[in-house]
Structure formats: structure tokens, C-alpha cells
CSV table of all heavy atoms in Angstrom, one decimal:
chain,number,residue,atom,x,y,z
A,1,ALA,N,112.5,-37.8,-5.6
A,1,ALA,CA,111.3,-37.4,-6.3
A,1,ALA,C,110.1,-37.4,-5.3
A,1,ALA,O,110.1,-37.9,-4.2
A,1,ALA,CB,110.9,-38.4,-7.4
A,2,ASP,N,109.0,-36.7,-5.7
A,2,ASP,CA,107.7,-36.8,-5.0
A,2,ASP,C,106.9,-37.8,-5.5
A,2,ASP,O,106.4,-37.8,-6.6
A,2,ASP,CB,107.1,-35.3,-5.2
A,2,ASP,CG,105.7,-35.2,-4.5
A,2,ASP,OD1,105.2,-36.2,-4.0
A,2,ASP,OD2,105.1,-34.0,-4.7
A,3,VAL,N,106.8,-38.9,-4.7
A,3,VAL,CA,106.2,-40.2,-5.2
A,3,VAL,C,104.8,-40.5,-4.6
A,3,VAL,O,104.7,-40.4,-3.3
A,3,VAL,CB,107.2,-41.3,-4.9
A,3,VAL,CG1,106.7,-42.6,-5.4
A,3,VAL,CG2,108.6,-41.0,-5.5
A,4,THR,N,103.9,-40.9,-5.4
A,4,THR,CA,102.6,-41.5,-4.8
A,4,THR,C,102.4,-42.8,-5.5
A,4,THR,O,102.6,-43.0,-6.6
A,4,THR,CB,101.5,-40.5,-5.3
A,4,THR,OG1,101.7,-39.2,-4.8
A,4,THR,CG2,100.1,-41.0,-4.8
A,5,VAL,N,102.0,-43.7,-4.6
A,5,VAL,CA,101.7,-45.1,-5.1
A,5,VAL,C,100.1,-45.4,-5.0
A,5,VAL,O,99.4,-45.0,-4.0
A,5,VAL,CB,102.4,-46.2,-4.2
A,5,VAL,CG1,101.9,-47.6,-4.5
A,5,VAL,CG2,103.9,-46.0,-4.2
A,6,LEU,N,99.6,-45.8,-6.1
A,6,LEU,CA,98.1,-46.1,-6.3
A,6,LEU,C,98.0,-47.6,-6.1
A,6,LEU,O,98.7,-48.4,-6.8
A,6,LEU,CB,97.7,-45.7,-7.6
A,6,LEU,CG,97.0,-44.3,-7.8
A,6,LEU,CD1,96.8,-44.1,-9.2
A,6,LEU,CD2,95.9,-44.0,-6.9
A,7,ASP,N,96.9,-48.1,-5.3
A,7,ASP,CA,96.6,-49.5,-5.2
A,7,ASP,C,95.3,-49.6,-4.8
A,7,ASP,O,94.7,-48.7,-4.1
A,7,ASP,CB,97.6,-50.3,-4.3
A,7,ASP,CG,97.6,-51.7,-4.6
A,7,ASP,OD1,96.7,-52.5,-4.1
A,7,ASP,OD2,98.5,-52.1,-5.3
A,8,ARG,N,94.6,-50.8,-5.1
A,8,ARG,CA,93.2,-51.0,-4.7
A,8,ARG,C,93.0,-51.8,-3.5
A,8,ARG,O,91.9,-52.1,-3.0
A,8,ARG,CB,92.4,-51.7,-5.8
A,8,ARG,CG,92.3,-50.9,-7.1
A,8,ARG,CD,91.3,-51.4,-8.2
A,8,ARG,NE,89.9,-51.2,-7.7
A,8,ARG,CZ,89.2,-50.3,-8.3
A,8,ARG,NH1,89.6,-49.6,-9.3
A,8,ARG,NH2,88.0,-50.1,-7.9
A,9,SER,N,94.2,-52.3,-2.9
A,9,SER,CA,94.2,-53.1,-1.7
A,9,SER,C,94.4,-52.2,-0.5
A,9,SER,O,95.6,-51.7,-0.3
A,9,SER,CB,95.2,-54.2,-1.8
A,9,SER,OG,95.4,-54.8,-0.5
A,10,LEU,N,93.5,-52.1,0.4
A,10,LEU,CA,93.6,-51.3,1.6
A,10,LEU,C,94.6,-51.9,2.5
A,10,LEU,O,95.5,-51.2,3.1
A,10,LEU,CB,92.2,-51.1,2.2
A,10,LEU,CG,91.3,-50.1,1.7
A,10,LEU,CD1,90.0,-50.0,2.3
A,10,LEU,CD2,92.0,-48.7,1.5
A,11,PRO,N,94.7,-53.2,2.7
A,11,PRO,CA,95.8,-53.8,3.5
A,11,PRO,C,97.1,-53.5,3.0
A,11,PRO,O,98.2,-53.3,3.7
A,11,PRO,CB,95.4,-55.3,3.5
A,11,PRO,CG,94.0,-55.4,3.2
A,11,PRO,CD,93.6,-54.2,2.3
A,12,ARG,N,97.3,-53.6,1.6
A,12,ARG,CA,98.6,-53.3,1.0
A,12,ARG,C,98.9,-51.8,1.3
A,12,ARG,O,100.1,-51.5,1.6
A,12,ARG,CB,98.6,-53.6,-0.5
A,12,ARG,CG,99.9,-53.4,-1.1
A,12,ARG,CD,100.9,-54.5,-0.6
A,12,ARG,NE,102.3,-54.2,-1.1
A,12,ARG,CZ,103.3,-54.9,-0.8
A,12,ARG,NH1,103.2,-55.9,0.1
A,12,ARG,NH2,104.5,-54.7,-1.4
A,13,LEU,N,98.0,-50.9,1.1
A,13,LEU,CA,98.4,-49.5,1.3
A,13,LEU,C,98.7,-49.2,2.8
A,13,LEU,O,99.6,-48.4,3.1
A,13,LEU,CB,97.2,-48.6,0.9
A,13,LEU,CG,96.8,-48.6,-0.5
A,13,LEU,CD1,95.5,-47.8,-0.7
A,13,LEU,CD2,97.8,-48.0,-1.4
A,14,LYS,N,98.0,-49.9,3.7
A,14,LYS,CA,98.4,-49.8,5.2
A,14,LYS,C,99.8,-50.3,5.3
A,14,LYS,O,100.5,-49.7,6.1
A,14,LYS,CB,97.4,-50.6,6.0
A,14,LYS,CG,97.6,-50.5,7.5
A,14,LYS,CD,96.5,-51.2,8.2
A,14,LYS,CE,96.6,-51.0,9.7
A,14,LYS,NZ,97.9,-51.4,10.3
A,15,TYR,N,100.1,-51.5,4.7
A,15,TYR,CA,101.5,-52.0,4.9
A,15,TYR,C,102.5,-51.0,4.4
A,15,TYR,O,103.5,-50.7,5.1
A,15,TYR,CB,101.5,-53.3,4.2
A,15,TYR,CG,103.0,-53.8,4.0
A,15,TYR,CD1,103.6,-54.5,5.0
A,15,TYR,CD2,103.6,-53.6,2.8
A,15,TYR,CE1,104.9,-55.0,4.8
A,15,TYR,CE2,105.0,-54.0,2.6
A,15,TYR,CZ,105.6,-54.6,3.6
A,15,TYR,OH,106.9,-55.0,3.5
A,16,LEU,N,102.3,-50.4,3.3
A,16,LEU,CA,103.2,-49.5,2.7
A,16,LEU,C,103.4,-48.3,3.6
A,16,LEU,O,104.5,-47.8,3.8
A,16,LEU,CB,102.8,-49.1,1.3
A,16,LEU,CG,102.8,-50.2,0.2
A,16,LEU,CD1,102.3,-49.7,-1.1
A,16,LEU,CD2,104.3,-50.7,0.0
A,17,ASP,N,102.2,-47.8,4.1
A,17,ASP,CA,102.3,-46.6,4.9
A,17,ASP,C,103.1,-47.0,6.3
A,17,ASP,O,103.8,-46.2,6.8
A,17,ASP,CB,100.9,-46.1,5.2
A,17,ASP,CG,100.9,-44.8,5.8
A,17,ASP,OD1,101.4,-43.8,5.1
A,17,ASP,OD2,100.4,-44.6,7.0
A,18,ASP,N,102.8,-48.1,6.9
A,18,ASP,CA,103.5,-48.5,8.2
A,18,ASP,C,104.9,-48.7,7.9
A,18,ASP,O,105.7,-48.2,8.8
A,18,ASP,CB,102.8,-49.9,8.6
A,18,ASP,CG,101.4,-49.7,9.2
A,18,ASP,OD1,101.0,-48.5,9.5
A,18,ASP,OD2,100.7,-50.7,9.4
A,19,VAL,N,105.4,-49.3,6.8
A,19,VAL,CA,106.7,-49.6,6.6
A,19,VAL,C,107.6,-48.4,6.2
A,19,VAL,O,108.6,-48.3,6.6
A,19,VAL,CB,106.9,-50.9,5.6
A,19,VAL,CG1,108.4,-51.0,5.3
A,19,VAL,CG2,106.3,-52.1,6.2
A,20,PHE,N,107.0,-47.7,5.2
A,20,PHE,CA,107.7,-46.6,4.7
A,20,PHE,C,107.4,-45.2,5.2
A,20,PHE,O,108.0,-44.3,4.8
A,20,PHE,CB,107.6,-46.8,3.1
A,20,PHE,CG,108.1,-48.0,2.5
A,20,PHE,CD1,107.3,-49.0,2.1
A,20,PHE,CD2,109.5,-48.1,2.3
A,20,PHE,CE1,107.7,-50.1,1.6
A,20,PHE,CE2,110.0,-49.3,1.8
A,20,PHE,CZ,109.1,-50.3,1.5
A,21,GLY,N,106.3,-45.1,6.0
A,21,GLY,CA,105.9,-43.9,6.5
A,21,GLY,C,105.8,-42.7,5.6
A,21,GLY,O,105.1,-42.8,4.5
A,22,GLY,N,106.7,-41.7,5.7
A,22,GLY,CA,106.5,-40.6,4.8
A,22,GLY,C,107.5,-40.6,3.7
A,22,GLY,O,107.7,-39.6,3.0
A,23,THR,N,108.1,-41.7,3.4
A,23,THR,CA,109.0,-41.9,2.3
A,23,THR,C,108.3,-41.6,1.0
A,23,THR,O,108.9,-40.9,0.1
A,23,THR,CB,109.7,-43.3,2.2
A,23,THR,OG1,110.3,-43.5,3.5
A,23,THR,CG2,110.8,-43.4,1.2
A,24,PHE,N,107.1,-42.0,0.9
A,24,PHE,CA,106.3,-41.8,-0.3
A,24,PHE,C,104.9,-41.8,0.1
A,24,PHE,O,104.5,-42.3,1.2
A,24,PHE,CB,106.6,-42.7,-1.5
A,24,PHE,CG,106.5,-44.1,-1.2
A,24,PHE,CD1,105.4,-44.9,-1.0
A,24,PHE,CD2,107.7,-44.9,-1.0
A,24,PHE,CE1,105.3,-46.3,-0.7
A,24,PHE,CE2,107.6,-46.2,-0.7
A,24,PHE,CZ,106.5,-46.9,-0.5
A,25,LYS,N,104.0,-41.3,-0.7
A,25,LYS,CA,102.5,-41.2,-0.2
A,25,LYS,C,101.9,-42.3,-0.9
A,25,LYS,O,102.2,-43.0,-1.9
A,25,LYS,CB,102.0,-39.8,-0.8
A,25,LYS,CG,102.5,-38.7,-0.2
A,25,LYS,CD,102.2,-37.4,-0.9
A,25,LYS,CE,103.0,-37.1,-2.1
A,25,LYS,NZ,102.7,-35.7,-2.7
A,26,THR,N,100.6,-42.6,-0.4
A,26,THR,CA,99.7,-43.7,-1.0
A,26,THR,C,98.4,-43.1,-1.3
A,26,THR,O,97.9,-42.2,-0.5
A,26,THR,CB,99.6,-44.9,0.1
A,26,THR,OG1,99.1,-44.5,1.2
A,26,THR,CG2,101.0,-45.5,0.3
């Protein structure tokens, strides 16, 4: 699927982007 994750924590969004890269969007 084409997945996007919404969150209000910038550190959490950075973590997700760092760990999962292009697997899903934030």
C-alpha cells in the first residue's frame, strides 16, 4: 500500500523517517 503516517511529534517523525526511509511517508 501507499502509506502515510501522521504524528505531532517531530522527533518521532524523524525517527520513523531515519529507520524506515522510503518504506512509508510521514
Side-chain angles (χ1 to χ4, degrees):
D2 178 354
V3 182
T4 301
V5 177
L6 272 177
D7 202 279
R8 297 191 77 105
S9 167
L10 288 174
R12 185 64 184 177
L13 293 174
K14 183 178 185 303
Y15 166 82
L16 293 174
D17 194 62
D18 287 345
V19 172
F20 297 101
T23 305
F24 51 78
K25 294 170 282 190
T26 60

